[in-house]
Amino acid sequence: MSSLPTSTPAAQGVDASGVAAFLDALEADPHLEPHSLMLLRHGQVVASGWWAPYAPDRLQLLYSLSKSFTATAAGFAVAEGLIRLDDPVISYFPEFEAEITDPRSRAMLVRHVASMASGHAEETLDRARALDRDELVRGFLLVPPDKDPGTVFAYNQPATYTLAAIVQRVTGERLTEYLRPRLFEPLGIGEAAWIADRRGRELGFSGLHATTDAIARLGELYLRGGVWQGERLLPESWVAEATRVQIAHETATVNGWADWQQGYGFQFWMARHGYRGDGAYGQFCVVLPEQDAVLAITSETVDMQRVLDLAWEHLLPAFGAGPLPGGGAADAALADRLARLALPPAEGKPVPAGRAEDWNTSFTPHGGTCADRPALTGIEVEPGGRVVLVDDGDRLEVRFGAGESGWTVVDEPVPVAVSGGWTDTETLALDMAFLETPHHLLVTCSLGDRTFTARWRTQPLHGGPLRRMRAPRSA
């Protein structure tokens, strides 16, 4: 994989102090944990950094930022004449023809599922799954739209799933297979992996694992109108249509967030500045045509609007019209800071003196399971820093206390970084960062009653046992 070209902020007209202020604001917000950042200006990387224990070559679960990659696959299929935007969706699934009788469902076009304008007034995922757990397209088409397709916006996972299913059906390939020679290889994107459903279809609406670098490259391709290093990959017309308002929002607000009120394209959100793909808990590909810039971010937060607010506040004023003279010292200070980014580890001490034998024991769950807790059945602790989580018949071994940064990383069977230790003679508290996702698992073991609690700081949206908290492996 070739590296993206790099430059100093000042040479590309970016005030390094503005980037530093953005970093300050990200790190100061208690409800926001940044994991990575790449900023491109005029096609050059002017700032990039990963907060240890996250790293540049680490795949990340992109959640709904996956949708923008799905749209790109659809753009290739349209260019190759395999899909037509004004075809009825049902025409690609003739096996459901007799069952789908609702006139609005039958009137739904490919462009409607591409733009979240299927006619449904709200998310249909649960209803579609209830109607057909094994074939989500059929379940989706059996949910009657509330209004005529093309007249109302609703963020709707089965719409994107259906678009992805059409691409996979007409190409005979999974999304990653189809995109490899058309997008990943030309852009220099290395490994990427997508969660598939029980039918073997890659989800489309979520589940793509890719690097921050891949996010930045996708943004740069769209910023350049579908051209990469002088070669046209995507039609300019597709990029223009995907990144303009296809459907407006009827409601005055979406989540109360201003940047979710600006309209929707083909699996891209319009924003107060530019447009973007984004995913749950703060995964962003922000494209700023007026500034000729791309911002790629991975993070963990429930307040995604806050990330954009901070970008508008600090980064937009940092973009100048031309090179900035005299920026050498600020550029050097920013580069040094970016090289040293790290998340603060959870505090903890070694096993209390004289208590090692007591702590060489097992723990059972305290209380019942709920949405923010994994269904762990046991935890085994060794006072030397080894912990085994017993989950769904699996034994996930992690370690803590051995890393110089305060984080101890294990890569198999699941990439996890662990910090923490004993907070007193009776309590062991650990922070486990699942490095190919945005999520942290907080574990506390109590010696007095030999019980533990484990809760997610932010709840994983795909669920399942801990062994699935990583990029899927190739078969």
Side-chain angles (χ1 to χ4, degrees):
M1 184 181 77
S2 62
S3 297
L4 289 168
T6 61
S7 181
T8 62
Q12 304 305 320
V14 180
D15 185 349
S17 65
V19 181
F22 182 52
L23 297 178
D24 287 341
L26 291 175
E27 293 182 332
D29 193 309
H31 304 296
L32 201 167
E33 181 182 271
H35 295 163
S36 70
L37 173 148
M38 291 183 69
L39 179 64
L40 282 67
R41 182 94 194 279
H42 305 325
Q44 307 279 317
V45 179
V46 296
S48 62
W50 285 258
W51 280 260
Y54 296 88
D57 58 353
R58 182 74 68 184
L59 298 182
Q60 292 291 302
L61 172 57
L62 304 186
Y63 278 123
S64 284
L65 180 48
S66 309
K67 291 179 170 72
S68 300
F69 286 85
T70 296
T72 304
F76 286 118
V78 168
E80 292 168 10
L82 301 175
I83 295 174
R84 292 187 294 270
L85 288 173
D86 291 316
D87 281 349
V89 169
I90 190 63
S91 69
Y92 292 90
F93 302 95
E95 67 271 31
F96 307 141
E97 176 79 26
E99 295 180 88
I100 308 305
T101 58
D102 184 273
R104 286 172 171 163
S105 293
R106 297 183 65 84
M108 193 188 304
L109 307 179
V110 174
R111 69 169 60 252
H112 297 144
V113 293
S115 59
M116 297 294 187
S118 63
H120 298 95
E122 59 187 8
E123 173 69 67
T124 65
L125 184 58
D126 290 343
R127 286 180 288 164
R129 282 177 171 167
L131 289 167
D132 195 326
R133 187 75 184 181
D134 294 319
E135 175 48 277
L136 191 60
V137 172
R138 177 176 175 272
F140 171 58
L141 292 175
L142 286 171
V143 179
D146 304 281
K147 297 184 179 182
D148 289 340
T151 64
V152 62
F153 169 86
Y155 197 64
N156 192 357
Q157 312 306 325
T160 313
Y161 178 91
T162 299
L163 179 65
I166 292 171
V167 173
Q168 290 171 93
R169 173 162 285 201
V170 300
T171 64
E173 296 179 290
R174 290 188 174 194
L175 295 172
T176 47
E177 295 168 339
Y178 183 62
L179 287 173
R180 173 57 54 193
R182 293 164 176 81
L183 180 74
F184 296 157
E185 290 178 359
L187 265 59
I189 293 173
E191 184 182 5
W194 215 315
I195 295 173
D197 65 9
R198 62 185 71 190
R199 297 181 61 88
R201 281 192 195 131
E202 291 174 340
L203 296 181
F205 65 84
S206 185
L208 177 61
H209 293 69
T211 61
T212 313
D213 178 86
I215 300 171
R217 289 170 190 256
L218 180 73
E220 185 68 15
L221 175 67
Y222 274 83
L223 179 63
R224 303 295 158 212
V227 173
W228 184 263
Q229 296 179 349
E231 179 184 357
R232 175 158 298 285
L233 301 181
L234 277 173
E236 185 176 14
S237 59
W238 174 264
V239 173
E241 290 297 296
T243 61
R244 72 170 181 88
V245 176
Q246 294 288 335
I247 185 74
H249 302 155
E250 289 186 356
T251 55
T253 181
V254 178
N255 296 330
W257 294 349
D259 282 294
W260 277 257
Q261 301 176 34
Q262 309 302 318
Y264 199 76
F266 289 154
Q267 308 297 302
F268 283 92
W269 292 92
M270 305 304 105
R272 287 178 291 170
H273 305 279
Y275 57 89
R276 71 189 188 282
D278 66 38
Y281 302 119
Q283 325 317 312
F284 286 103
C285 177
V286 181
V287 181
L288 299 168
E290 289 188 12
Q291 290 75 24
D292 195 28
V294 172
L295 174 64
I297 291 178
T298 64
S299 59
E300 183 197 37
T301 181
V302 295
D303 189 356
M304 294 171 61
Q305 180 63 64
R306 179 64 174 161
V307 179
L308 296 176
D309 287 344
L310 294 176
W312 309 153
E313 179 181 354
H314 298 291
L315 289 184
L316 288 183
F319 293 118
L324 302 178
D331 288 352
L334 177 62
D336 179 67
R337 178 175 179 179
L338 289 166
R340 294 183 293 104
L341 294 174
L343 298 179
E347 295 183 2
K349 299 177 181 178
V351 62
R355 301 300 301 272
E357 184 175 346
D358 295 336
W359 274 98
N360 191 16
T361 189
S362 301
F363 297 81
T364 58
H366 177 79
T369 60
C370 61
D372 66 347
R373 300 178 192 171
L376 301 180
T377 56
I379 291 180
E380 301 169 8
V381 174
E382 291 183 3
R386 176 177 175 269
V387 172
V388 176
L389 309 179
V390 184
D391 172 51
D392 193 37
D394 293 332
R395 294 170 59 83
L396 175 61
E397 179 179 324
V398 299
R399 294 186 175 274
F400 66 97
E404 293 183 5
S405 67
W407 295 92
T408 304
V409 176
V410 298
D411 280 301
E412 295 295 339
V414 179
V416 183
V418 183
S419 64
W422 280 268
T423 57
D424 56 48
T425 59
E426 299 292 314
T427 308
L428 174 66
L430 300 175
D431 181 346
M432 302 182 181
F434 285 76
L435 293 175
E436 292 182 353
T437 81
H439 303 292
H440 288 248
L441 182 64
L442 307 179
V443 173
T444 302
C445 297
S446 300
L447 187 59
D449 57 3
R450 299 295 199 277
T451 64
F452 72 88
T453 61
R455 67 175 182 85
W456 293 108
R457 194 166 72 184
T458 51
Q459 183 183 343
L461 301 183
H462 290 294
L466 295 182
R467 66 175 178 269
R468 293 174 57 185
M469 297 292 293
R470 64 167 302 156
R473 287 185 170 92
S474 300

